[in-house]
Amino acid sequence: MSSPTDTFLQEADDLLAALEEALLELDENPQDAINIANAFRALHTLKGSGNMFGFRALGDFIHHFEDCFEKVRNGSAFVTPDLVAVALASRDHIAALLDLGPDTALTPELAETDRNLLAKLGEITGSDTLSAADRPSEDTASSNQPNAPVIERRWHIRFRPEPGSLGMGVRPDLLLAELSGLGRTMVTPQLDAVPGLDSYDPAECYIAWIIELVGPVDRAAIEDVFLFQMDAELTIEETQLEAQDMPEPAENDAALPDRGAEKTSTPAKGQASGGDSVRVQASRLDDLMNQLGELVIAQARLKAISSEIDDPRLSGTAEEIEALVTGLRDTTLSIRMLPVSMVFGKFRRLVRDLSSDLGKAVALTTEGGETEVDKNIIDALTDPLVHMVRNSIDHGVESADIRAAQGKPETATICLRAEQAGGEVLITVSDDGGGLDTEAIRARAIERKLISSDQSLSAAELHQLIFEPGFSTAETISNVSGRGVGMDAVRGVIDALRGTIDVRSRPGEGTEVTLRLPLTLAIIDGLMVRVDDDHFVIPLAAVEECVDLPDRNMVHDNGRRMLQIRESWVPYIDLDQLFGFGQSGAKGRRVVVVTADGRRIGFAVDDVVGQLQTVIKPLSRFHRSVEGLAGATILGDGSVALILDANAIVRRADAVRQIAA
Amino acid sequence: MQQEIHSQTDTAPIGLATVDGVPVDATETLLTFRMDGERFAIAVGAVAEIIDPQRTTRVPNSGSLAPSLLNVRGTIVPLIDLRHRLGMESGERLHSSRLLVIEIAIDGELTKIAIMADAVEDVIDAATAEVEPIPDLGVRWPTECFRGAIKHKGDLIILLEETFSFLDTRGSDAAL
């Protein structure tokens, strides 16, 4: 990430997600100590790093939010549905405060929300919480244990930031300000390390500070301030309170010896929670992928040259490079793979909010969240899935009394499921609601002039109509769904990802929408074929087998060509005719059998050239709308081969046959 | 062989023919090329590069506007059949034929296209004020494709519409 603040914001996103997850778990199991601890930990880390990066309003708000959870954690308050609701609203408020940016004052609206939320939190948990807007600053430390006896302690803190840390976004001024929020401080800068002007680097921090802190503070609170200063020199020592510090003698003398044992603080603990993984900016992954794509193309060129020159030393090296590039490709692709649960995780909140907005009891179940998909597909999937889940809850799930009358459980279930099948990933949204009303769809489609009134369509064809632009059967437009843009937009996104959508619905039993998506968008294994003089690539994931085409074709009813492969008849499409290249006179043609739309279909080609790694390049706007093409790729000799989209070719062939019939 | 266009006159204002309706002495730098015996010109700034004819790949069912594409340094670029768009007969490839790679914004999207010229001729400076409407003899051509014509050393040069918006694939039969 470019700047430390961006890194913080990214982490804050993760922490907010963790907080939400914990809160939603608590909604179901209010006693769950692990999730109470998770929520507390997320808040605590957010507060600490938020303060460090100048998000003072955020820190103040979370401080009180955290107090409430402290009460829950120590058993003096309990998780109630009300608390979860306010806590979720507070989570959203934190997100708004993060959007506000560092070192920014609250807007009046946000200050209002701030006050209201803290008031509610305080009311529910019985905490004495005041908003940042009202709270006197010296309140910070004591409000942790409002009823505990105030024990003043004196701390001697020596802090020398790592010289280069300013460049990492460390703000010593904020750290010192935070310390002074803990109690009375006296800060003395140590300038001995500042070099002469000739060797002075203005970007380095040469100053150390000695801070005398007096207040009801324990060591952990001080260490928290320096939580992210892993490379800094830091010593925290407790010293005797002096007469001017405090009127009464200290009560905690007994604690001193064992405090003294840990005189030199270990460097503050960092966030090691990430394990041994690293964060990488997404655009760097994209760059890596693009360069890998060019490398694959260059390697193909090397291979072509090597077979031309036919020198064993060259061909040996070329083969070695090919193996290395293949390995590099697989590793790079695996870096880009993320679990689908990253998308699924967002839906618990959505389902909870929608079901309470619409007064329908809905439970969400997820399966196969560990299935991995390319990052770009994950990113693109969220919006379509939101539309689909909204549609399911809004249109699919019946109201509780209708469900009861039909003998269904009162709580409806929506299931998000992911599974990998060959080179595709299937993502399914299913509900146990009323199913699609084919009659209503039909009537609507006729009204919208999508079909003519005498057209007879199968149920499956009618179901596909819900993805047409401007189609919506909802009688009243709600703010949840029903503007007719949703499902149309879903299809747009899925088409752009080279995916397909299947709809299965049974009246009274529910609807199941399945998205079939490729695992990756960038590089695929392809099978190169020749049609006439041109080369085309068929994605290998779709290919089942290649067979010879007998010279005597088997022509069956209405012009559909069939080929007997072992026991079964497989229809096939002549690509040369579909492409308008004219009848091929070639001998010894072959048929590539693919799976498209769940069927086995053959593509007759002049020759099967072989397998290759295919870097998918997008087509220009002049060719994007040509049906049957998934993109283009550059071959070893620099020429371009088109990549075929098996599903779209079958659709086109069906359409051509219908027009011809 | 590759020829770089040295557009040292890139700073010449293009399309700023008037200030408050009064013509000013603006000049623009144009690249002239020949197609079917006619001389055409486009703004130099739009030309990304000029390359020798290359192997192209035909795109099945793509229609007559952009029937094929080619690889220009790793980018897939459509080859626009400008002759067909302008209503000309399709031509032979000549020894002097060159591909002009042009970068234009279509519908807000920066797009590279290639067109085949029979010959690339010259880079000239032309006064914007001298651009005239296409004379009557030119009406056999679709006028939306042209900005006008200029006379240069006794020769008539036809200026292509500089944004190439006539290639927009929306709403036309272009993509069929």
Side-chain angles (χ1 to χ4, degrees), chain A residues 532 534 617 623-624 638 640, chain B residues 55 57-58 66 71 74 78 109:
Chain A
D532 204 2
D534 292 8
K617 301 246 175 192
H623 296 131
R624 228 170 270 161
V640 181
Chain B
R55 210 155 99 203
T57 301
R58 57 183 163 164
N71 163 24
E109 183 184 356

Side-chain angles (χ1 to χ4, degrees), chain B residues 126-149:
Chain B
T128 307
E130 287 171 16
V131 177
E132 296 167 11
I134 301 272
D136 277 349
L137 61 110
V139 290
R140 64 190 169 100
W141 292 332
T143 50
E144 72 272 22
C145 301
F146 308 112
R147 256 177 72 205

